[in-house]
Amino acid sequence: GTYDGSIVSSRSNRATPLWRRTSAAGLRSIIFGMPLTYPPEDINGVMVAGMLAPFDGEYAHPPGLADRLRERGFVPDLGRWTQTENLSMERIEEQLALKETLLLEMLKQEEWDLAWLVFKSLDVLSHSTFSNDVDGHVAHLVGLLDGTLGKLLAAVPPGTNVILMSDHGFRVYPKSMNVHAWLLAEGYSVARDDSGEESDTPPSTRLTEQRAAAHRRRIDGLDLPRSQVLAGPCEGNFGSLRINLSGREPHGPVGFKGAETLLRQ
């Protein structure tokens, strides 16, 4: 019913998170830094939300924990997703040291059966590294994280099952594809005859707002009743295609049979 984008949250989860299953089984969990856990759930244990958590919000459970973390200078998400945040190495090291201290305290003071701890700073730093040299400061942070891992492993009880996991890797990609331009060239998307007025709103420093504004500008520039496929803004290293489906999108010209034909193409 709309072409607008939306910011995902913990309410966007369509499957049952592991921490909800552990709580239902009477087990206690420490969930710290997990993306898409804001607003935090009332779990059996402790939850400190990660990516997309507002710094000034109630991003932790139990109530009052977020205020105590703020008093110590902790921020739940390095980066510019929801707030403007300095990404200097000094700032990253400061937050990593504080997070390490907090986690060691929780592992010692809390009763827990599951501890799920996420470190996002390496992801943020690698995204902002545009040269072909991925050593230097990136390698330095890997070393710091390895030291933190060693301290955490030393703090857990003997016999604890430990899984170390990366959600994805990083490498330089010198080329990317502008899917939106390709759709226009191939006729799957059709530009409006009039270009419209440029917005005089100053650009936001928050990435969530930047992405939403870019999405709106792209949609506003299309002749939607004649556009079969749309491409949302992305970094160019993953797909962003959406069929402009009749009955789902407000001006979608593509029926279900037409969608099957497009998918085969």
Side-chain angles (χ1 to χ4, degrees), residues 114-130:
L114 168 70
W116 197 337
L117 318 175
V118 178
F119 294 85
K120 182 169 169 279
S121 55
L122 183 60
D123 176 286
V124 175
L125 185 64
S126 297
H127 269 294
S128 63
T129 301
F130 299 108

Side-chain angles (χ1 to χ4, degrees), residues 97-116:
L98 177 56
K99 187 171 184 175
E100 177 186 293
T101 298
L102 294 170
L103 291 175
L104 290 172
E105 289 176 359
M106 288 185 180
L107 291 173
K108 180 179 179 180
Q109 297 170 5
E110 298 285 339
E111 294 183 7
W112 54 273
D113 300 284
L114 168 70
W116 197 337

Side-chain angles (χ1 to χ4, degrees), residues 18-134:
L18 183 58
W19 48 86
R20 200 177 299 166
R21 294 182 181 273
T22 55
S23 293
L27 304 175
R28 285 182 59 82
S29 300
I30 298 175
I31 310 298
F32 201 117
M34 176 68 66
L36 298 186
T37 49
Y38 179 84
E41 295 186 39
D42 182 7
I43 67 169
N44 182 20
V46 176
M47 175 175 282
V48 179
M51 182 179 179
L52 299 185
F55 297 3
D56 56 353
E58 289 300 319
Y59 60 77
H61 171 81
L65 177 57
D67 288 334
R68 296 195 295 273
L69 294 175
R70 267 191 292 270
E71 289 173 359
R72 297 178 68 172
F74 177 75
V75 298
D77 183 19
L78 282 173
R80 295 190 297 117
W81 285 106
T82 57
Q83 303 199 206
T84 303
E85 175 63 17
N86 179 12
L87 276 183
S88 68
M89 181 56 72
E90 181 181 7
R91 179 64 163 162
I92 290 173
E93 290 187 22
E94 166 207 299
Q95 283 297 307
L96 176 58
L98 177 56
K99 187 171 184 175
E100 177 186 293
T101 298
L102 294 170
L103 291 175
L104 290 172
E105 289 176 359
M106 288 185 180
L107 291 173
K108 180 179 179 180
Q109 297 170 5
E110 298 285 339
E111 294 183 7
W112 54 273
D113 300 284
L114 168 70
W116 197 337
L117 318 175
V118 178
F119 294 85
K120 182 169 169 279
S121 55
L122 183 60
D123 176 286
V124 175
L125 185 64
S126 297
H127 269 294
S128 63
T129 301
F130 299 108
S131 71
N132 288 320
D133 181 13
V134 293

Side-chain angles (χ1 to χ4, degrees), residues 227-248:
S227 296
Q228 297 176 289
V229 186
L230 315 173
C234 70
E235 295 181 22
N237 61 336
F238 59 89
S240 60
L241 299 178
R242 184 176 180 88
I243 293 177
N244 197 10
L245 195 64
S246 175
R248 184 180 66 184

Side-chain angles (χ1 to χ4, degrees), residues 207-220:
L207 287 176
T208 50
E209 295 173 1
Q210 286 183 22
R211 296 280 176 91
H215 177 74
R216 284 193 297 270
R217 288 194 300 271
R218 180 167 292 184
I219 293 298
D220 290 344

